[in-house]
Amino acid sequence: NAGVTQTPKFQVLKTGQSMTLQCAQDMNHNSMYWYRQDPGMGLRLIYYSASEGTTDKGEVPNGYNVSRLNKREFSLRLESAAPSQTSVYFCASIRTGGIVSPLHFGNGTRLTVT
Amino acid sequence: AQSVTQLDSQVPVFEEAPVELRCNYSSSVSVYLFWYVQYPNQGLQLLLKYLSGSTLVKGINGFEAEFNKSQTSFHLRKPSVHISDTAEYFCAVSDDQGAQKLVFGQGTRLTINP
């Protein structure tokens, strides 16, 4: 059982380049999330998808777009990367019923923008 | 609006010593509280949660936390730590069991010295 799989694990971009971070879960979860983790700031929610076909902004959505491709997959796109987007990105999912269910996290994508 | 403050960014302790990681929250209504743990190079996983009922909550790996409404705190404790407890610990809060979003604290890095 793979759980939540994120690709790539590492990425280096130049300022202005674009890329898509991929996330897939095989647990039949309804809700999926994208967080960024920065030292001293904990996890901040970028976007989430409560169910297939819906997406909503989180705390720090600027500079990002998302696509809930199907129930399994939720991608995060950086259209024009900036150094401020250097971070570790985590995808997570929840079975159903809101946050009382445990969030299941992927192992993260470490992104550096130069 | 909810917020979470973890009072210590780093906590070093010796193996087999007790530890307490502090968490304070602010919320205007009912509150649901969580502790997540992140081992090196991994995503987060749920340690324990308080939804209602007994204010003392037991979690995995011998950890427990106490909900104190008057002090708006949810401190995490373990009576005797092991090297394998070295990780970063995050406190999180929501004001709605059906909510799709958690607010995370800044994290506390627990380092166990032999």
Side-chain angles (χ1 to χ4, degrees), chain A residues 21-39:
Chain A
L21 281 64
Q22 307 286 354
C23 174
Q25 51 89 9
D26 62 1
M27 297 171 284
N28 202 34
H29 285 179
N30 291 315
S31 303
M32 297 185 72
Y33 303 78
W34 277 105
Y35 289 91
R36 60 178 290 173
Q37 182 180 21
D38 302 291

Side-chain angles (χ1 to χ4, degrees), chain B residues 13-15 83 112-114:
Chain B
V13 296
F14 288 106
E15 195 171 14
I83 291 282
I112 312 299
N113 299 307

Side-chain angles (χ1 to χ4, degrees), chain B residues 23-45:
Chain B
C23 172
N24 285 89
Y25 67 90
S26 67
S27 177
S28 58
V29 292
S30 299
V31 65
Y32 307 96
L33 294 154
F34 306 79
W35 277 98
Y36 277 80
V37 59
Q38 182 182 30
Y39 298 106
N41 299 312
Q42 295 185 26
L44 283 69
Q45 56 185 281

Side-chain angles (χ1 to χ4, degrees), chain B residues 30-81:
Chain B
S30 299
V31 65
Y32 307 96
L33 294 154
F34 306 79
W35 277 98
Y36 277 80
V37 59
Q38 182 182 30
Y39 298 106
N41 299 312
Q42 295 185 26
L44 283 69
Q45 56 185 281
L46 182 65
L47 202 53
L48 49 80
K49 62 186 176 186
Y50 170 78
L51 303 180
S52 64
S54 172
T55 57
L56 185 62
V57 180
K58 293 190 184 299
I60 61 173
N61 301 338
F63 282 93
E64 61 182 33
E66 185 155 20
F67 171 58
N68 188 320
K69 189 172 182 178
S70 63
Q71 297 188 8
T72 61
S73 68
F74 190 55
H75 300 335
L76 181 71
R77 302 185 183 102
K78 187 170 182 177
S80 175
V81 295

Side-chain angles (χ1 to χ4, degrees), chain A residues 35-37 41-45 59 90 105, chain B residues 44 90 104-105:
Chain A
Y35 289 91
R36 60 178 290 173
Q37 182 180 21
M41 303 192 73
L43 271 75
R44 291 181 293 169
L45 183 63
E59 183 184 353
F90 286 98
F105 283 83
Chain B
L44 283 69
F90 292 90
F104 284 90

